[in-house]
Amino acid sequence: ASPILYMLLPFYSIAPGFPILYVIQAVILYSPAIPLYLIARKKLENDLNGFLIALSYLFLPMISTGTFEVLSLFAGLFIFAYYFYLEKRFIPFFIFFLLSLSTMEFAPVLGGMFGLVLIIEKLNKKNLRSIFIEKNLSTLRKYALGFALILISIVFFIADMQMISYFSFSTHSALENLYGTNPTSASSIFQGLTYGTQSKIGYIAQTN
C-alpha cells in the first residue's frame, strides 16, 4: 500500500530504471538536512549546533538501505511536514503529511501518534476545566488539528488495509504477522511483530 509510487511515475518515466529511483530516494532522504538545520538553529539558538545536528543526520549510517525502499521515504517526508508545522505553514504541512502517510501501510499509525502528541501537548488543568466543568466547547478548537490528523490517519489506514486485500484477492492481510497471537499478552504480540529472520520493528526503525 504505497500510493506515493504513482506520484513518482512522472519522474520515473524520464529514465525508466533503478538509477532514477536511487536519485529520487537520495533527494527525499538527504534533503531534510536543510529543515533539520533550521529547526535545530531555532530551538538551540545557535548556528553551529544547528549545523552539527544537520551534519549528524547526513552521516547517519542507516539513512540509506542500499536499495530502493519506499518504506524509507517516510522519515524524509515527515521531517518536512514537522518543519512546516513548527512554522505554522499548514498547507505545505498537510501536503507533506499526506505524502508521508502514502509511503506504507503502517505510516498512518505513526501519523495518528503525532496527532495524539499534539493533543497531549495542549492538555492542562485549565483547558480540561474549561471543557468539562465550564462547558466551554470553544476550547476544543485547540485540539482540532490533533484530532484531524488522527482522523486522516485512520482513513488512510483503513484504505491501505482494503487496498492490500483487494489487490491480493483477499489472500493477504497486512496484519497477518499478528495472527495467532494472544492480544492480551504483550510478549505474544511482541513475538508476532518480530517473527522472522529480521525483526520487523528493527527494520522499520532502521529505515526511518
Side-chain angles (χ1 to χ4, degrees):
S2 301
I4 195 172
L5 290 175
Y6 290 103
M7 286 172 263
L8 298 183
L9 279 175
F11 303 98
Y12 184 80
S13 66
I14 297 173
F18 280 106
I20 191 67
L21 292 178
Y22 293 140
V23 171
I24 293 171
Q25 180 172 248
V27 169
I28 295 177
L29 287 180
Y30 290 100
S31 61
I34 298 172
L36 275 178
Y37 165 72
L38 296 174
I39 292 171
R41 184 181 66 173
K42 186 174 182 178
K43 287 185 174 291
L44 301 175
E45 300 179 345
N46 185 289
D47 288 349
L48 178 59
N49 288 341
F51 174 76
L52 292 176
I53 290 289
L55 194 65
S56 67
Y57 171 79
L58 291 175
F59 283 93
L60 186 68
M62 296 183 296
I63 193 172
S64 178
T65 59
T67 58
F68 178 78
E69 173 59 86
V70 70
L71 174 65
S72 67
L73 303 182
F74 172 84
L77 295 169
F78 194 82
I79 290 172
F80 274 99
Y82 184 63
Y83 167 74
F84 287 120
Y85 164 74
L86 293 177
E87 294 295 311
K88 300 188 184 304
R89 297 170 60 184
F90 292 108
I91 292 178
F93 162 72
F94 273 107
I95 291 174
F96 278 98
F97 183 76
L98 294 176
L99 285 174
S100 67
L101 295 190
S102 68
T103 56
M104 60 177 181
E105 62 269 19
F106 290 115
V109 176
L110 304 177
M113 290 298 176
F114 180 64
L116 184 61
V117 166
L118 298 189
I119 293 173
I120 292 173
E121 281 182 340
K122 291 179 173 59
L123 280 178
N124 56 54
K125 291 181 180 180
K126 182 179 179 180
N127 288 343
L128 293 176
R129 178 183 177 84
S130 176
I131 295 170
F132 294 105
I133 298 179
E134 300 173 4
K135 306 298 182 183
N136 183 6
L137 299 182
S138 63
T139 307
L140 287 172
R141 284 181 294 185
K142 296 181 179 181
Y143 306 100
L145 180 60
F147 282 118
L149 297 185
I150 291 174
L151 180 60
I152 292 171
S153 298
I154 291 174
V155 171
F156 257 84
F157 184 75
I158 294 174
D160 286 346
M161 297 301 102
Q162 294 299 316
M163 185 186 305
I164 291 172
S165 177
Y166 176 80
F167 284 108
S168 67
F169 300 99
S170 300
T171 60
H172 177 75
S173 169
L175 301 176
E176 69 179 6
N177 58 317
L178 292 177
Y179 288 177
T181 61
N182 180 0
T184 62
S185 170
S187 61
S188 180
I189 293 175
F190 181 76
Q191 288 176 357
L193 284 170
T194 58
Y195 178 78
T197 57
Q198 184 178 15
S199 163
K200 293 180 177 65
I201 294 177
Y203 184 65
I204 291 175
Q206 176 181 328
T207 54
N208 286 283

